[in-house]
Amino acid sequence: MGRLFDFMLPENKSPLTADSTDGLFHFINEVSLILLIGITFALIYFAFKYKRKSEDDKTPLITHNNTLEITWSVIPLLITLVIFGWGYSGWLNLKAVPDDAYEIQVTGFKWNWAVNYENGAQTLNEIHVPKGRPVKIVLQSRDVLHSFFVPDYRVKHDAVPGRYTYVWFQAEEVGESVVFCTEYCGTSHSDMLAKIIVHEPEDFETWLELNGGGPSGTPVEQGEALVVQQGCQTCHSVDGSAGLAPTFKGLFGKEEQLNDGSSLTVDENYLRESILNPGAKVVNGYENIMPPYEGILSDDEITNIIEYIKTLE
Amino acid sequence: MAAAQSKNMTTLQVKRFKPSENPTNTYLTDEKGVWAWMTTVDHKKIGLMYLVAVAFFFALAGFLAIALRTELWTPAKTFIEADTYNQLFTLHGAMMVFFVLVPSIPAALGNFVLPMQLGAKDVAFPRLNLASFYIYVIGAVFTFISLANNGFDTGWTFYTPYSSDTNSLGVIWVTLGVFILGFSSILTGTNFITTIHKLRAPGITWDKLPLNIWALYATSVIQVLATPVLAITILLLSMENILDIGIFDPAKGGDPVLYQHFFWFYSHPAVYIMIVPGFGIISEVITTFSKKHIFGYWAIALSSLAIAFIGFLVWGHHMFTSGQSAVATTVFSFLTFLVGIPTGIKILNWVATLYKGSIEMKTPMLYVFIFLFLFTIGGFTGIMLGALSVDIHLHDTYYVVAHFHYVMMGGTLMALLAGLHYWWPKMTGKMYNETLGKISAVLIFIGFNMTFLPQFVMGAQGMPRRYYNYIDQFQPFHQTSTIGSYILGAAFLIILYYLVRSLFGGEKASANPWNSRGLEWQATSPPDFHNFDHTPVVINGPYDYHKPMEEFQLGLAVEHNGHGHGEHHEVKTDQTEKA
Amino acid sequence: MSEHNHEHHVATAKQLWLIGGGLFVLTILTVVVSNLGLPSPFDIISALVIAFGKAYLVAAFFMGLYWDTKFNSLLLIGALVFFILMVTVTLLDTMYRQDVVPSF
Amino acid sequence: MANHSASHPAHVQHHFVDSDQQFESAKMGMWVFLVNEILFFGGLFCAYIVFRAWYPELFTQAALELNKLWGGVNTIVLIGSSLTVAMAIRSAQKNQIKGLRINLLITIALACVFMVIKYFEYEHKLHLGIAPGSFWNPTPEILEELSHPKANIFFGIYYMMTGVHGLHVLVGIGLMIWLYIRAGKGHFSSEYYTPVEITGLYWHLVDLIWIFLFPLLYLIE
Ligand code: HEA
Ligand code: HEA
Ligand code: CUA
Ligand SMILES: [Cu+2]
């Protein structure tokens, strides 16, 4: 490659989706640079050549020149037509998912990406994918708009509540790529990152096997896993340190001050309500920013989380 | 006008009026006192009041920008919390757009020069003009009330559902504020359109209209057509907040993408509300300082209207990744490029105007050169963003941030500075310090590129916008950018310094220090309360630099100063010049 | 601009009553038509045709566009044109959300 | 812009050359403002069209909850008021100040009738729990008729459209009272009736909007 504007782009790790984009990016930059140099040169040249000599300089009357003006309307028009066509075809390619794509469900919510695989495996903010195979990420959102952006693959799409959207790519090297959230979504928008981890196909299969088939372990262990997976720790710490929300450490049995002035002792029912419908009782000094987990966590799962919280003394 | 003119032709004489170099009675000395200023219906004073307000908000929003940039010095927290940062960029963007750029050229400079360039005594509806200023002030008050009620952190775009389910109180206040502000803009537009149609001095036919007027005309058309849609959108948004009516909120069955359509239906044309008046200034300044007829008058005049029109059909280019339909995306991308053509015609015609001119690099001209360079970069990167596949990668990254600063700051603001320096002698009767003017222009150029060029690179590398924390690899770019912004801040302080100083100790300006052929320069500096002490008669185009100055100093009759009610003035019959 | 002389057009009382009467009749007509229960697209079409008819009467005669300078009519038409543009272009999105790739 | 020696009647502001220029400017200014009104309502109509295209069945179902009869009566009332405003302008043009005042009074009365009917319509709906947004709480019987899951959106649009329109009616009433008072003070004549003319234009637009709202909201089934 070694093109003039290479330094501007991140490494291309998914040529199938990135090549056309990169080519066009370079093309526009180069054309623009040439035109810009032309214009700038003309400006500077005229400024010196026709510098005012005396107060009563006479200037010729040149009102217009149709040939010139038409030329510099038609040439840009042609250039933009090329750019449009190129951009359009590249974009069609971004929309057209190959048939054999491997599908992964990704849900954005404040401020995490929850990832679900076909065999029931779940991860948070980590997307494991096989190398050399097209992957289709099906996006959805639980609360507000988010946007799924992988610079290395040149793909991006908004996650819209109430709808499914998607992106696809095909990673060609084992390694990691960063995922950003690029639609403003509140306090920790800039921390809503994820990692795409590309495995050799065989390694990916083993990874899936190991993590598939739902949770295992004691209720407390399952609860702990859920707290990690569901992103509770974005806001709640488990070690007593401060955050956007009250820490889980020492929570159970504690006397809690609510923002309406009342107080209560934290028990199972309160915890359950706080998880399902956090807006019902808001802790004093905090804002009601926690998403409701109604319909997202099952009763068993909530019980497990509560069991886990109880152990954090 | 023709009819009215011919009716009394027999008694009218056209005479040469040379503007007095030592006016005794000007609009600044006419009425004094705070109350007189606050209740004035004089377009010039209202223009100045707008100018002060705009400068105030610019300084405030610029100060916020400095705070933003300082926070971004390190990848994690530098000195403010994430929530504060989010409010800062929202406030910075909203203020710069709604309180600075939209009113800056039309309502501040435009108000001042538009009637003068038309040879009129005032705009068509002077009281409405004052009302629109106060509406603007009320809009500002609402925004400050919002700040006292939790503020707002939605980004200047107020996207739902984020804006309708967080922090409601602050958002409600600010959306109502923007709603009110919209009417200020609408009234200005209405006023200008009517004035341009109905109040032109004898002889100003459509082909003798200064290009600045054409630009303001196109702008007003956009203001009148687009702003009401913003008003209703923002009203719906407030109702979404207050009543939860659910048109946009997906939780209630609404469609958030519809909100984006409504918002951008205004806000894309709005970017042309911001830039097109700038184009007008460029045409005036570039001809004045190259003492040459504009190249391609009609192309420049009509391309403003073309931009205004096409500008209404491209709003969806902000929504390529939003989940709008593929058909819409394709159409929007295609139409986006078409805006580049009329804009390009303008740029190239301005360059061609310089050819064989008599170019003098005074400060306003320097800003025009800076404008041409920076805006072209901004425009080209706009084309980059219009390209479908590339925008998928660049959307909502710092590349977009850099693009719009190049067009808004490198474009509009540079044009504004050009116009401010250009008309400063007319407005205040004082000359600013030319040396300091040039020094600060150069500083701005350096500071600006240092601030925003690195943003192109990091944006293309993947740095998302509205990010409080970022990954380490972007730090060098952010730091360069931050240093650049400090240079910018210093440059603006210099400008503030020498402009304020010129008011008190500046050299007195002559009526026409630049030897311009523009009609506004045929009044005294500063002008009389009624602009001209005669009714100007126009027989030459505003760019006829090949003709002697005398021909531009024609007028009818003398009027007395002050408020012209009742029977005044006699028609002078001496010193006839053939019209 | 103002080729107009000092005489403003004064509509006769008869003209105004005629227009008013026409509007009443059209209002009743539109209710009647809606009660006929026309099949799907035609109900809207008929309602809109009548509404536009009424709008024309109001704009042309009550608002005096018929006698006024053409520019004011142009303003009204311009507003409608931009409204229609806004709607059609928005519909380009909302009506075609299902298609993955445009088919043309 | 020439005739400066001609007499300058008191109502002509200093920056206009003559009465005619002032009148034409005011009228054109009003038209430009009406353009903006049309696009203002245009946003609401656009939302209406989009949702109607998505859920036609919702609109036919929800329209049943609106009372055609009262909607029709209101249309007639508003058209009547448009007629009287036109008559008012005619009176002014013919220097019949008394006729002007009477016509204005009738217009104000009709506008008030419109608002009263609107009030009862709203009242009735709110009573049934067909309220906007978070107040949406229809009684069980109503809920049966309004089974569509997005029924709240129709009424969101309905309340916005009729509400904003109603506000315009109120503003119109205010303007007309102001005209009435000024007419009483003898401010208007056949020489100068600009405020009457442009308020008339505004009022006709309010009527125009209703002419479209009525079939679109009430008459679809
Ligand atoms: C003054 C304001 C202004 C102006 C004038 C423009 C001008 C243009 N803008 Fe910009 N734009 C903004 C302000 C402005 N923009 C803002 C504020 C945003 C971000 C909003 C947000 O999300 O917060 C934005 C975002 C934005 C996007 C969305 C990016 C994204 O979010 O993904 C796009 C995409 O198409 C775009 C395109 C364009 C184009 C094509 C032009 C064209 O008008 C440019 C035309 C000019 C030229 C092309 C240069 C001169 C031409 C020649 C010398 C001739 C030769 C030309 C060719 C060969 C093409 N802009
Ligand atoms: C007119 C438009 C305008 C202007 C001029 C500016 C000017 C500046 N902007 Fe702004 N910016 C926006 C419009 C503008 N911006 C918008 C719309 C957004 C998007 C917001 C969003 O995402 O919602 C944005 C976002 C934005 C961001 C991105 C934030 C993020 O995404 O996280 C950044 C970051 O660097 C930034 C920086 C700056 C800087 C350093 C300046 C500097 O150029 C400022 C320099 C000015 C000063 C330092 C003021 C000094 C003045 C005085 C001392 C008084 C003198 C007074 C007179 C001479 C009259 N801006
Ligand atoms: Cu999620 Cu930003
Ligand atoms: Cu745009």
Side-chain angles (χ1 to χ4, degrees), chain B residues 13-203:
Chain B
Q13 301 292 336
V14 178
K15 169 178 180 288
R16 178 176 171 201
F17 287 85
K18 235 178 135 174
S20 153
E21 292 299 348
N22 288 304
T24 47
N25 198 8
T26 70
Y27 78 105
L28 291 171
T29 58
D30 195 72
E31 311 158 305
K32 283 207 162 119
V34 178
W35 185 246
W37 270 87
M38 285 176 61
T39 55
T40 184
V41 290
D42 178 23
H43 68 97
K44 298 183 286 302
K45 286 188 179 163
I46 296 173
L48 285 195
M49 296 198 311
Y50 262 116
L51 191 63
V52 172
V54 164
F56 168 76
F57 282 110
F58 176 68
L60 195 61
F63 177 74
L64 299 180
I66 298 286
L68 284 181
R69 290 290 353 147
T70 307
E71 169 55 42
L72 293 173
W73 184 259
T74 59
K77 176 180 166 174
T78 308
F79 77 111
I80 49 179
E81 294 300 329
D83 282 328
T84 320
Y85 178 86
N86 296 340
Q87 295 207 0
L88 282 186
F89 74 69
T90 305
L91 200 58
H92 163 73
M95 273 194 181
M96 281 291 191
V97 170
F98 297 117
F99 291 98
V100 180
L101 271 210
V102 171
S104 64
I105 298 183
L109 293 183
N111 239 328
F112 194 98
V113 298
L114 177 127
M116 299 192 67
Q117 290 193 322
L118 293 174
K121 288 186 208 155
D122 209 324
V123 291
F125 312 113
R127 272 175 297 176
L128 206 60
N129 203 11
L130 183 66
S132 73
F133 176 73
Y134 283 110
I135 294 174
Y136 171 87
V137 173
I138 297 172
V141 169
F142 270 61
T143 310
F144 286 118
I145 297 178
S146 158
L147 293 183
N149 285 286
N150 283 339
F152 52 107
D153 68 338
T154 57
W156 80 282
T157 46
F158 303 112
Y159 273 14
T160 51
Y162 183 77
S163 60
S164 49
D165 66 24
T166 15
N167 235 337
S168 311
L169 210 51
V171 177
I172 290 173
W173 278 105
V174 71
T175 46
L176 290 176
V178 171
F179 175 76
I180 293 170
L181 202 64
F183 286 95
S184 160
S185 181
I186 290 169
L187 294 182
T188 306
T190 308
N191 221 334
F192 281 8
I193 293 181
T194 315
T195 311
I196 295 171
H197 271 273
K198 299 288 185 191
L199 293 186
R200 280 170 286 142

Side-chain angles (χ1 to χ4, degrees), chain A residues 146 181 183-185 189 192:
Chain A
H146 301 278
C181 172
E183 188 64 66
Y184 178 68
C185 53
H189 162 61
M192 191 166 161

